[in-house]
């Protein structure tokens, strides 16, 4: 009985999703291409999956610990901020 409880509680993945809209699909693709290169380290225990749907970058995080999701999301936002600042510096992409 205790083992059943442990499996149900302790080993359940925590999840969170982010949806980041961009002015255009091209800019969402640029952000995806830049951010998808940075895989989460295996020792960190966070799985990150990125997808682009139209002009929206969707990011899904999973981890056994809520604290690790927080760390992964904070790190992702740091990288996302750098990508957005760089795109703003160079202007919108050419068609």
């Amino acid at each position: 009985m205790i083992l059943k409880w442990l499996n149900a509680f302790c080993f359940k993945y925590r999840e969170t999703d982010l949806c980041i809209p961009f002015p255009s699909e091209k800019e969402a693709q640029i952000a995806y291409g830049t951010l998808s290169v940075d895989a989460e380290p295996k020792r960190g225990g966070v799985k990150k999956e990125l997808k682009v749907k139209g002009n929206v970058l969707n990011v899904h995080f999973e981890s056994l610990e809520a604290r690790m999701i927080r760390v992964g999301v904070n790190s992702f936002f740091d990288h996302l901020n750098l990508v957005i600042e760089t795109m703003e510096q160079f202007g919108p992409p050419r068609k």
Side-chain angles (χ1 to χ4, degrees):
M1 173 127 160
I2 291 176
L3 186 57
K4 241 185 194 181
W5 179 80
L6 284 174
N7 283 334
F9 181 74
C10 294
F11 301 114
K12 186 175 181 182
Y13 274 95
R14 304 324 192 243
E15 304 176 25
T16 193
D17 293 299
L18 304 174
C19 301
I20 301 117
F22 284 87
S24 70
E25 186 173 351
K26 180 71 174 166
E27 288 168 295
Q29 288 288 345
I30 290 169
Y32 170 82
T34 305
L35 296 166
S36 63
V37 174
D38 297 327
E40 294 293 322
K42 293 198 189 273
R43 70 182 186 284
V46 177
K47 293 179 190 175
K48 177 177 72 179
E49 182 181 346
L50 286 85
K51 292 181 183 175
V52 174
K53 194 171 192 177
N55 69 322
V56 177
L57 177 64
N58 296 298
V59 190
H60 178 77
F61 292 90
E62 283 185 5
S63 179
L64 287 172
E65 298 179 41
R67 178 180 60 90
M68 295 312 297
I69 288 181
R70 179 181 49 80
V71 170
V73 169
N74 283 342
S75 175
F76 176 79
F77 275 131
D78 287 343
H79 290 104
L80 177 64
N81 190 41
L82 181 61
V83 168
I84 291 171
E85 286 177 356
T86 302
M87 286 195 289
E88 286 174 347
Q89 193 73 28
F90 286 95
R94 295 182 189 156
K95 296 184 181 188

